[in-house]
């Protein structure tokens, strides 16, 4: 009988992509996706360990699934990804009902491992070497990049795809567990990234997002010539049928002029740059071991603004890092007020075992102070974001329509009688746009006239009303609307991923 999988994903886009690929690998073995964990033969948690909060979520999910395991001992429970690598034996000592603990460097083994467990082989732990456990080469080899063939039906939306440029990270920011759980930085070849993108485009993909922990540090040695992200972008830009190329996450020091020029000159490359500053104060940046000063960050930003005046720049910030004083925190506020970020993700510092900050610095900012600073920074960013969106009113924006708006999804996601719904999409600069339109626009590029804005989104109407009128004529009868809806709706990745 067909086996069914339920997978929950917590974390960054790397984890979202890993889940997609794991599901695709199991589908090739005849597995299907379950509609609920209670109906699944295997339940996987693809986990993040960047902050404690993400791990807590997984441990409480493991607590909940325990009842199901007691009822059905044959249910295979897997913890895969970053937390599996970080906690290793701890996972099973806290939750002995877990059968599989598989790190991000061993995901390719999952079909075999699941089969082993189902055959009664008992629990399995498969993880990579610790970064200090051997030579760089040995550690690198123990983290296998996982990029098997894709299964187009498994993407969150069929017209968008994440494409990995490199795995791991070598920057070792003092607070960050990523270099430990994802291993040394390893680039994929330009040829394999281009070939994968061509295949995705042939399957109907309009937009790809290149993902790497520090995507702009990308280097590939092609017969003695070093190819950089700008070279890769140039090759991808010439793929017919591909409309948009995005890339995340950028490391400030590697935002070189060739990359900025590529974004300026290559029409498919979106003017959207996520370049986390993390903090606004030199002393804290130094304690964070980020490798740049605010002066250097501002110089980088200046170069970006000079060449790309319309580009959206976004940032991450950590508040309440070890020893952060009120005066130091104020520098982050100053940066947010002056840098004109489109938006910022703001995180309260969470000490991570294994990192330099955990070992050598003291997490001395009280939780209530972290919370207060988080709110202050968010409030400052909200003001900036609102102001930054104002000039869009009255403009026409090209939007890739992704699906229902968050509000519509919350309402149960059924289209109104006229077959229309509140949809959402994104501009090239990654601004969210919501508008009322027929569901059949999902997956298309449309022009939208912006009529109003909020801090985190723009509101608009499909340009000219023309498209709308024409599409209304073409609308299916109510009977077939639900069939259309099922096709048009982006199939969610197994379970929505949360940025924890
Ligand atoms: N380069 C990666 C960064 C991964 S972590 C990327 O692709 O985004 C994402 C963000 O989480 C970081 O930019 C940082 O702002 C935040 N972060 C990392 N470690 C953290 C910690 N220990 N506590 C709080 N926030 C953290
Ligand atoms: Fe983490 Fe710094 Fe790398 S934030 S992913 S160690 S660039």
């Amino acid at each position: 009988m067909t086996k069914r999988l339920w997978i929950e994903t917590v974390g960054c886009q790397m984890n979202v992509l890993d889940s997609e690929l794991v599901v695709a690998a199991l589908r090739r073995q005849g597995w299907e996706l379950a509609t609920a964990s209670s109906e699944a033969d295997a339940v996987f948690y693809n986990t993040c360990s960047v902050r404690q909060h993400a791990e807590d979520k997984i441990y409480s999910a493991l607590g909940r699934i325990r009842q199901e395991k007691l009822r059905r001992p044959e249910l295979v429970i897997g913890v895969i990804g970053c937390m599996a690598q970080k906690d290793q034996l701890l996972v099973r000592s806290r939750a002995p009902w877990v059968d599989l603990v598989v790190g991000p460097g061993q995901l390719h083994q999952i079909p075999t491992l699941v089969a082993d467990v189902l055959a009664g082989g008992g629990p399995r732990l498969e993880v990579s070497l610790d970064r200090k456990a051997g030579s760089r080469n040995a550690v690198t080899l123990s983290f296998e990049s996982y990029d098997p063939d894709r299964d187009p039906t498994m993407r969150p939306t069929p017209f968008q795809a994440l494409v990995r440029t490199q795995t791991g990270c070598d920057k070792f920011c003092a607070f960050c567990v990523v270099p430990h759980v994802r291993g040394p930085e390893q680039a994929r070849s330009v040829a394999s990234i281009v070939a994968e993108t061509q295949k995705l485009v042939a399957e109907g993909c309009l937009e790809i997002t290149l993902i790497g922990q520090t995507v702009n540090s990308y280097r590939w040695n092609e017969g003695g010539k070093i190819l950089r992200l700008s070279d890769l972008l140039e090759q991808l830009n010439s793929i017919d049928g591909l409309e948009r190329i995005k890339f995340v996450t950028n490391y400030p020091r590697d935002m070189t002029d060739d990359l900025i020029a590529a974004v300026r000159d290559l029409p498919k490359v979106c003017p959207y740059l996520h370049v986390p500053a993390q903090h606004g104060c030199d002393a804290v940046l130094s304690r964070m071991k980020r490798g740049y000063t605010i002066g250097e960050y501002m110089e980088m930003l200046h170069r970006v603004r000079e060449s790309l005046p319309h580009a959206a720049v976004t940032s991450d910030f950590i508040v309440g890092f070890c020893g952060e004083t009120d005066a130091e925190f104020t520098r982050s506020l100053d940066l947010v007020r002056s840098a004109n970020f489109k938006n910022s993700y703001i995180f309260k510092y969470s000490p991570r075992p294994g990192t330099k900050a955990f070992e050598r610095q003291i997490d001395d900012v009280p939780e209530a102070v972290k919370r207060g600073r988080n709110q202050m920074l968010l409030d400052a960013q909200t003001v900036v974001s609102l102001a930054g969106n104002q000039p869009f009113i009255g403009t026409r924006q090209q939007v890739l329509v992704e699906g229902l708006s968050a509000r519509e999804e919350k309402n149960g996601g059924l289209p109104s009688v006229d077959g229309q719904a509140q949809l959402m999409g994104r501009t090239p600069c990654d601004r969210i746009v919501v508008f009322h339109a027929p569901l059949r626009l999902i997956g298309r590029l449309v022009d939208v006239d912006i009529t109003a804005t909020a801090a985190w989104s723009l509101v608009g109407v499909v340009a000219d009303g023309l498209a709308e009128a024409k599409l209304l004529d073409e609308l299916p009868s109510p009977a077939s609307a639900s069939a259309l809806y099922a096709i048009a709706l982006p199939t969610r990745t197994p379970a929505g991923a949360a940025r924890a």
Side-chain angles (χ1 to χ4, degrees):
M1 217 178 72
T2 309
K3 296 273 184 220
R4 278 172 301 179
L5 172 72
W6 176 260
I7 183 164
E8 287 184 23
T9 309
V10 175
C12 65
Q13 284 164 315
M14 276 291 170
N15 291 29
V16 175
L17 175 59
D18 283 340
S19 284
E20 178 194 324
L21 298 176
V22 164
V23 172
L26 284 172
R27 275 167 64 100
R28 275 196 289 280
Q29 309 284 320
W31 286 69
E32 289 296 337
L33 281 180
T35 46
S37 58
S38 56
E39 290 165 10
D41 300 287
V43 174
F44 285 176
Y45 299 97
N46 187 8
T47 58
C48 175
S49 54
V50 160
R51 283 167 290 277
Q52 180 68 40
H53 178 64
E55 294 183 356
D56 294 344
K57 267 168 99 166
I58 298 297
Y59 281 116
S60 52
L62 285 173
R64 288 193 300 274
I65 199 72
R66 183 184 186 186
Q67 297 308 318
E68 193 67 34
K69 178 80 172 175
L70 286 172
R71 266 194 300 279
R72 297 189 291 131
E74 70 284 3
L75 173 66
V76 180
I77 297 178
V79 171
I80 66 174
C82 298
M83 196 180 104
Q85 178 64 35
K86 175 176 158 287
D87 280 4
Q88 305 192 355
L89 293 169
L90 185 66
V91 175
R92 273 187 44 82
S93 73
R94 284 186 66 173
W97 52 95
V98 170
D99 302 288
L100 277 179
V101 179
V102 183
Q106 286 69 33
L107 297 179
H108 55 285
Q109 297 180 24
I110 281 187
T112 320
L113 293 170
V114 177
D116 286 354
V117 173
L118 283 171
R124 295 288 298 269
L125 167 73
E126 293 293 340
V127 290
S128 299
L129 290 177
D130 187 85
R131 287 212 63 167
K132 291 185 198 126
S135 67
R136 181 178 169 96
N137 198 30
V139 176
T140 301
L141 285 174
S142 77
F143 279 91
E144 190 159 320
S145 178
Y146 184 54
D147 295 288
D149 276 355
R150 311 287 288 253
D151 179 340
T153 58
M154 278 306 100
R155 290 200 296 278
T157 51
F159 44 89
Q160 295 172 297
L162 302 170
V163 175
R164 207 184 322 254
T165 52
Q166 72 246 65
T167 57
C169 180
D170 288 336
K171 303 289 195 253
F172 286 99
C173 302
F175 51 79
C176 185
V177 80
V178 169
H180 306 273
V181 293
R182 290 222 169 241
E185 185 174 333
Q186 298 186 66
R188 294 176 69 196
S189 71
V190 168
S192 69
I193 297 169
V194 171
E196 180 171 13
T197 306
Q198 279 165 335
K199 193 160 171 271
L200 287 163
V201 171
E203 289 163 359
C205 221
L206 298 176
E207 177 186 278
I208 61 154
T209 302
L210 301 174
I211 57 171
Q213 300 297 343
T214 55
V215 67
N216 59 341
S217 316
Y218 180 82
R219 295 274 182 288
W220 180 256
N221 187 333
E222 190 80 55
K225 183 168 187 265
I226 301 295
L227 300 178
R228 307 208 270 182
L229 182 61
S230 53
D231 302 302
L232 175 62
L233 290 172
E234 195 174 335
Q235 294 203 26
L236 295 172
N237 188 70
S238 63
I239 296 177
D240 281 344
L242 181 61
E243 297 284 346
R244 287 182 174 189
I245 307 166
K246 295 181 176 174
F247 54 97
V248 287
T249 293
N250 294 287
Y251 184 64
R253 269 179 60 175
D254 290 330
M255 192 52 81
T256 47
D257 287 339
D258 60 307
L259 178 56
I260 295 172
V263 180
R264 184 195 58 209
D265 299 338
L266 301 170
K268 295 178 184 175
V269 177
C270 293
Y272 159 59
L273 299 172
H274 183 53
V275 202
Q278 307 295 0
H279 209 277
C281 170
D282 284 345
V284 181
L285 287 173
S286 163
R287 297 204 292 277
M288 288 178 163
K289 301 208 175 310
R290 279 292 282 180
Y292 53 84
T293 61
I294 275 303
E296 287 163 339
Y297 187 89
M298 292 311 281
E299 183 276 328
M300 176 279 301
L301 199 58
H302 181 71
R303 281 187 291 116
V304 168
R305 302 283 192 214
E306 285 254 284
S307 296
L308 303 164
H310 302 298
V313 180
T314 61
S315 180
D316 290 349
F317 281 93
I318 295 178
V319 296
F321 185 64
C322 308
E324 188 192 60
T325 62
D326 276 335
E328 287 172 340
F329 168 67
T330 306
R331 312 302 302 181
S332 285
L333 274 175
D334 292 344
L335 181 60
V336 161
R337 289 181 183 136
S338 63
N340 194 20
F341 296 122
K342 180 193 69 137
N343 63 268
S344 293
Y345 298 95
I346 301 161
F347 306 106
K348 290 176 291 176
Y349 172 59
S350 169
R352 305 285 62 214
T355 61
K356 288 239 167 52
F358 183 85
E359 285 164 6
R360 300 188 194 158
Q361 300 185 49
I362 302 165
D363 174 30
D364 53 0
V365 178
E367 177 61 24
V369 175
K370 287 181 183 170
R371 215 179 308 127
R373 289 179 184 169
N374 191 326
Q375 192 58 49
M376 269 190 269
L377 205 53
L378 186 62
D379 290 346
Q381 180 62 61
T382 307
V383 172
V384 173
S385 297
L386 252 177
N389 281 346
Q390 288 309 305
F392 284 82
I393 296 178
T395 66
R396 180 165 290 184
Q397 297 293 318
Q398 186 212 50
V399 172
L400 176 58
V401 189
E402 294 185 11
L404 297 176
S405 69
R407 189 191 75 185
E408 203 81 61
E409 286 224 12
K410 237 201 245 144
N411 291 345
L414 284 175
S416 56
V417 198
D418 61 0
Q420 301 206 14
Q422 193 185 65
L423 304 182
M424 67 76 62
R426 279 169 208 266
T427 63
C429 62
D430 208 53
R431 283 184 163 80
I432 292 174
V433 183
V434 293
F435 51 97
H436 202 70
L439 292 166
R440 57 169 310 201
L441 290 192
I442 294 171
R444 295 216 211 152
L445 285 161
V446 296
D447 284 342
V448 176
D449 289 332
I450 306 303
T451 53
T453 70
W456 316 123
S457 59
L458 311 176
V459 182
V461 289
V462 176
D464 288 333
L466 256 182
E468 218 166 325
K470 190 158 154 272
L471 286 157
L472 271 176
D473 288 346
E474 294 170 13
L475 262 184
S477 65
S480 60
S482 61
L484 169 93
Y485 179 67
I487 300 160
L489 238 199
T491 30
R492 289 259 150 241
T493 310
R499 193 159 176 166

